[in-house]
Amino acid sequence: MSAHSLSRNERLRSLGAVRRLFESGESGFIFPFRYVWFAEPDTERSVEVLFSVPKKFHKRANKRNLVRRRTKEAYRLQKQILTDAGTPLNLDLALIYSSKETLSAKTIAHAVRRILESVAKEL
């Protein structure tokens, strides 16, 4: 499998894991994203990510899908920042888009990079 893919097992889908993430995870804000992450020691390294674009800010589904696609692409191309760290952890990460404007792919990619670097530094 390619290093730049985003397969199904890399996406956070479990309701229990999402609940645990938002109840006991650490959070931060880097414009235009609010991010929440939760890490626990595990035998093998796995990173699962959740992307969210609230309907509150973008009423039209095509705008939400555009922002979600741009965010997924930015994460997919830069996820090696998290996987390069040495300690085996099970990491859950949620990226929540919090701007009313539809920003460019370059701006979103820069914000995702800053988020991944800050999470990697905390680990």
Side-chain angles (χ1 to χ4, degrees):
M1 188 170 277
S2 174
H4 291 295
S5 66
L6 185 61
S7 64
R8 183 177 171 92
N9 61 356
E10 294 180 64
R11 286 181 259 154
L12 188 62
R13 301 179 316 273
S14 166
L15 183 61
V18 172
R19 183 174 290 130
R20 180 186 65 205
L21 172 68
F22 285 105
E23 285 177 355
S24 56
E26 299 181 39
S27 66
F29 183 82
I30 293 179
F31 181 81
F33 293 99
R34 185 171 86 83
Y35 64 97
V36 182
W37 61 278
F38 178 76
E40 62 182 355
D42 199 355
T43 56
E44 69 179 55
R45 185 165 191 74
S46 69
V47 179
E48 294 183 353
V49 65
L50 171 115
F51 303 98
S52 175
V53 182
K55 194 173 184 179
K56 177 180 180 180
F57 297 133
H58 297 279
K59 303 296 184 194
R60 303 287 305 242
N62 61 343
K63 295 292 185 184
R64 289 194 305 273
N65 291 339
L66 174 68
V67 172
R68 192 175 302 115
R69 266 188 271 120
R70 287 179 179 174
T71 306
K72 282 182 180 181
E73 182 69 6
Y75 173 79
R76 185 183 71 80
L77 293 173
Q78 300 175 32
K79 68 181 179 179
Q80 74 275 1
I81 294 170
L82 291 177
T83 58
D84 288 345
T87 58
L89 291 172
N90 182 12
L91 176 68
D92 297 336
L93 175 67
L95 297 174
I96 303 147
Y97 192 81
S98 300
S99 175
K100 292 184 179 183
E101 301 150 8
T102 304
L103 298 175
S104 69
K106 185 177 179 181
T107 306
I108 290 174
H110 181 66
V112 169
R113 174 177 280 285
R114 289 180 48 209
I115 290 169
L116 296 179
E117 288 171 348
S118 68
V119 169
K121 188 173 69 171
E122 292 284 329
L123 298 176

